[in-house]
Structure formats: C-alpha cells, structure tokens
Amino acid sequence: MSGTSPVVVAKRVDGGDDADLTEIADLASAAGYDVVGHLSQSREEDAAYHFGEGKVEELAALVRETDAQAVVVDNRLGPYQTYNIGGKLPEGVEVIDRFTLILEIFGQRANTRKAQLQVELAELRYELPRAEAKASLAKRDERPGFMGLGEYDESRERDIKAQISRIKQELDAIADKEETRREQRRESGFDLVALAGYTNAGKSTLMRQLADDLDVSENEDLHPDLDPTAESEDRLFTTLGTTTRRADTGTRDVLLTDTVGFISDLPHWLVESFESTLDSVYRADLVLLVVDASESVAEMREKLVTCHDTLYERNEAPIVTVLNKIDRIDDEELAEKRAALEALAPNPVAVSGLTGENVSELTARIEAELPDWREERLLLPLSDDAMSLVSWLYDHGNVEQEEYTGEEVLVEFAARPAIVEKARAKAAEVHAPTRSADAGDVSEASVDSP
C-alpha cells in the first residue's frame, strides 16, 4: 500500500486506562500515511477481535466515513484477530498492527546491507506464526487469503525458516567483522562511545555537536566506513543502521556511534533481529543514554525504563544519562525533572544538542567516565625509529611531556593499557636497555594512573 494512503488509527487499552493515540499517529505519519480518523477502547482484550465486536463495527463505520484504505492498530494482533477484524471492514481495507507498521518504517529507512538484512529477518520472524495460521485456516477451508493473510502455500513455512537461517549466518559474519574492527580501533587508541535512547530524543542532533568532521576527513584511509554526516530530522527512526564519527572530547580519541532509537513495547523477536546493530551499544566503552527533557516526567520515566530494560540485559559499559533539549524548558522545570527521575537517571548531564548549551560539560563527563588510561615514561636513544615511536604515541595516546637531553628523548604519555603495552614492545625494538629518568639502570617505567 502506498505510504500516502489515508488511514484510521485505533488502540485498545486495559479497562480503566486511558488510550493515548499520539505515538501511533506519529508512527503512521513517519511511514508516510495520512491519519484521517482515531478510535480507542478501554476494555479487556477480546480473543476473537482484540476489540469488542461492537467496537469493530464502529471502526468499520469510521473507515467508510473517512474513506480510509487501512486501519493501523496500536497493539499486537494475532493472525486470527487480523483476519476477523478484516472480515468486518469494507473490502480491500488492510489491517496493520503496530509491529507491521514499525517494520514498514524500518524497510523504508534500510539503506545498508546490514540494515536490510535485519529488517528482512524481523519481517520473517513476524511472518512465521502467520504462515502457521494460514496452514490452519487452509485446512478448515476458511479462505486464508482473505484480508491480508495471503494465499497459503504449504512450503512457505519451510522457506521462511531456511531464509531466517541464511540471514542469521550472514549477519553473524558481519558482526564478526565489526567486532574485529572495534578491537582494531581500540588497539589504535580509540575509545568507543555509543549514543542510545528513545527514538526522536535528539541523538543525531547531539552527535553533530560532538563530532569532529575534519578529523573524519583526515582519517578516511584509517576509517573508510565512517559516515561523514549524521541526519538531524524531526521524525522517528531517522537513524536505522549505525553512524560512526570521530568526536572531539579533549585528550581522548573517541569514536561516537549513533544507533536506531528504542521504542516502547517492542517484542523480543524484534529486538533480537537488530542484535547486530545493538552490539555497537552493548560493546561500547561508554553509553550516552539520551532522553528528551521537554517531555513530561511520566513519558521520560516510561522511556528510561524501556531503555534500561534493553540495555542492562547485555550492556557492559557505564551509562551516562543525557537530558537533551533543555532549550525547550526553563531551569525550574529542569530541576524538578532531575529530582523526579533521580532513581533512574542519577547525576545526569543536561544539554541542548540544538544550541550546544552544556556540550562542553558533556565532553568532560565523557572523558571522566571512560576507562582509565595508564601513565608511562619512556627514555629512548635519539634515532629515526625513536622519532617514529614518539609520533605514533601522539596519534594513539596523550603525550604529556617530550624532553630531549643529549642524545636521548624522554616521553611521558597516557594511553589505553593495550597502547601502553604496544609502546613498550616498540621501545624494546628501537633501543638497547635505557636508563630511567630518575635512576641508573632501569628500562621503561610504568605508573598506573590514579
């Protein structure tokens, strides 16, 4: 169906709750649909129709009144519920549930091979139980091709499982290459920082504030996969794959990765389908959890819980909460939200990715939270090889002092532990045993950072 088609959005919530159709309407708009009607119901789920049968009749009347071509339901519908609701609607009107819509948006935004594979995997995992339902309906002669379930082919289930297996193998191969690249970058002295958070929290806008485009351009040969731009648009799921750019935080060499935004109520199979992308978050040295501070406390709390549920299961890195978009609220409101969310977001950094306010405070926090560097001193005989090593230290660590005495050079630096070990090995290759700057007959001296 064309993304410009008129649709009615609908949602059922448990009895006593209020149905908020804002998010599903935003998702429908993000997919390109024109929302022409809204309908909600507060009651327990009906096994046959999800909504009450009378509410489905009301939905059908609204579809006829608005000439909608589809109904977008902000719930997860079972195959039989989709079939039954469709049977009440005018002929040709499609029933799209929440996750079908999300997959449609993902499909529109998938511009890389990895993103396309992840979307295809999610679609197949979603289709598998529906293929099983088609088989059941076919055996009962109940026109399984009716209302979007599709024609039944007994080989379809086998095909889906085979495709899932093939895609997982290809994604595993991509993940292995990306893990190798991550380790190579760490060995080159880079710290890996990931931006995470709810979709539309302003991660891409914040990334533009932190990124150092000139450094990316200068290092194209070293990092040919780095994307020189990061989109900043007010729409959901702007970033589907990962965008990695070099960030300027001060003394540390940081690679910052922006990933797909989280969204509430995602089923396990959908999160699993994007496991390869989420590895950029799970295996980072630091995670910046970005939250839209202009939203209500209730919305912020719900989204923080969603993010924590996704991150804490596998994430190994420290997490810093970033309250973004503070240009939209005053100091008093910000203070109230800090206090209300202290348990979920202890000691957050409040910034504006749009104006750049407090970004310097965030970069200082990034450096403070990254894994400790080790301090080291090397006394080297003056030679071309020694000068090459000093140059290498400038590229891979933070040189604090470079002092020439006679025919020797003393270099004091701080770097990741792996870089310190590499520096020691390189030093051993370029000189005979050297003397320490302080005492007579000692080679390299290592001092752990406090």
Side-chain angles (χ1 to χ4, degrees):
M1 178 177 290
S2 169
T4 58
S5 302
V7 299
V8 169
V9 295
K11 182 175 184 177
R12 183 203 62 80
V13 294
D14 292 333
D17 294 336
D18 294 326
D20 184 356
L21 292 165
T22 304
E23 184 184 71
I24 192 62
D26 288 344
L27 286 170
S29 297
Y33 291 110
D34 179 20
V35 178
V36 295
H38 302 74
L39 180 141
S40 63
Q41 184 176 37
S42 177
R43 60 155 287 169
E44 293 182 357
E45 180 178 358
D46 180 84
Y49 290 96
H50 187 78
F51 300 93
E53 188 172 359
K55 184 62 68 171
V56 176
E57 297 285 0
E58 184 180 335
L59 177 62
L62 181 60
V63 167
R64 286 189 289 268
E65 178 186 337
T66 58
D67 290 325
Q69 296 180 22
V71 170
V72 177
V73 180
D74 192 19
N75 302 94
R76 183 178 185 178
L77 298 178
Y80 297 104
Q81 291 172 332
T82 301
Y83 174 81
N84 291 335
I85 293 173
K88 296 283 188 180
L89 300 178
E91 186 175 355
V93 174
E94 187 177 359
V95 179
I96 304 170
D97 76 356
R98 175 184 179 86
F99 306 119
T100 304
L101 181 65
I102 290 172
L103 290 176
E104 184 174 337
I105 298 171
F106 282 177
Q108 294 171 0
R109 310 287 165 83
N111 297 319
T112 67
R113 176 60 178 166
K114 182 173 111 174
Q116 291 164 354
L117 286 170
Q118 291 177 126
V119 170
E120 188 178 351
L121 178 60
E123 289 172 342
L124 290 168
R125 282 176 164 161
Y126 187 70
E127 185 182 349
L128 185 56
R130 281 150 180 76
E132 294 167 348
K134 293 172 195 175
S136 175
L137 287 171
K139 291 174 183 176
R140 290 159 44 189
D141 267 333
E142 292 191 6
R143 294 191 299 159
F146 187 61
M147 284 297 114
L149 281 179
E151 294 295 339
Y152 171 66
D153 179 351
E154 63 181 5
S155 66
R156 182 57 181 153
E157 292 174 63
R158 295 193 301 273
D159 289 345
I160 291 174
K161 290 175 181 177
Q163 289 179 68
I164 287 174
S165 178
R166 174 187 58 79
I167 291 171
K168 288 177 67 176
Q169 288 178 355
E170 189 169 349
L171 284 173
D172 285 344
I174 292 173
D176 288 343
K177 290 179 182 177
E178 291 181 341
E179 178 60 21
T180 299
R181 185 182 298 134
R182 276 191 289 269
E183 291 310 312
Q184 289 173 340
R185 287 172 172 173
R186 285 193 175 100
E187 290 173 4
S188 297
F190 285 94
D191 295 292
L192 308 182
V193 177
L195 284 167
Y198 202 90
T199 185
N200 235 27
K203 299 187 301 301
S204 297
T205 302
L206 182 59
M207 187 176 190
R208 294 182 72 86
Q209 287 286 351
L210 294 170
D212 186 348
D213 286 334
L214 180 61
D215 280 348
V216 172
S217 175
E218 289 177 344
N219 288 272
E220 285 181 358
D221 292 338
L222 183 59
H223 309 290
D225 59 306
L226 298 196
D227 190 331
T229 61
E231 294 180 89
S232 300
E233 301 179 38
D234 187 20
R235 61 174 185 163
L236 303 179
F237 303 116
T238 297
T239 306
L240 179 58
T242 57
T243 301
T244 300
R245 302 170 73 188
R246 186 166 178 172
D248 182 10
T249 64
T251 61
R252 308 286 283 257
D253 285 325
V254 171
L255 290 179
L256 188 64
T257 297
D258 185 15
T259 64
V260 62
F262 299 147
I263 190 167
S264 60
D265 194 28
L266 285 184
H268 187 64
W269 57 265
L270 185 52
V271 175
E272 276 191 347
S273 298
F274 285 83
E275 182 178 0
S276 180
T277 290
L278 292 174
D279 274 347
S280 299
V281 178
Y282 296 142
R283 304 187 184 187
D285 298 307
L286 177 68
V287 176
L288 302 181
L289 179 52
V290 184
V291 183
D292 183 349
S294 68
E295 295 181 327
S296 68
V297 169
E299 288 176 303
M300 293 171 68
R301 180 178 289 110
E302 179 182 347
K303 292 176 181 181
L304 277 167
V305 169
T306 296
C307 294
H308 286 304
D309 287 347
T310 305
L311 288 173
Y312 282 138
E313 182 178 349
R314 291 183 51 198
N315 187 64
E316 301 173 359
I319 297 173
V320 172
T321 302
V322 181
L323 302 181
N324 193 24
K325 304 186 183 181
I326 61 170
D327 53 288
R328 299 184 179 184
I329 60 176
D330 57 34
D331 292 343
E332 182 179 354
E333 184 178 351
L334 177 60
E336 290 173 354
K337 289 178 175 179
R338 278 181 179 268
L341 298 169
E342 185 176 7
L344 282 170
N347 194 22
V349 181
V351 305
S352 170
L354 182 64
T355 68
E357 182 180 357
N358 292 348
V359 168
S360 59
E361 179 183 339
L362 176 58
T363 58
R365 182 70 176 277
I366 289 172
E367 294 229 344
E369 295 287 346
L370 284 169
D372 286 340
W373 274 4
R374 286 169 54 187
E375 295 181 353
E376 177 77 354
R377 300 195 308 174
L378 298 176
L379 186 62
L380 306 168
L382 203 54
S383 66
D384 289 343
D385 288 341
M387 292 301 93
S388 294
L389 175 53
V390 172
S391 177
W392 182 85
L393 290 172
Y394 272 101
D395 290 337
H396 293 79
N398 180 42
V399 175
E400 298 164 350
Q401 182 178 352
E402 181 183 352
E403 181 180 338
Y404 294 86
T405 58
E407 296 188 1
E408 294 177 320
V409 56
L410 172 67
V411 57
E412 298 184 2
F413 65 96
R416 297 178 63 90
I419 297 301
V420 171
E421 295 305 318
K422 276 197 170 187
R424 286 177 170 176
K426 287 176 178 289
E429 294 175 0
V430 299
H431 65 65
T434 63
R435 292 176 301 163
S436 162
D438 299 320
D441 229 356
V442 184
S443 59
E444 305 91 9
S446 172
V447 181
D448 288 337
S449 58

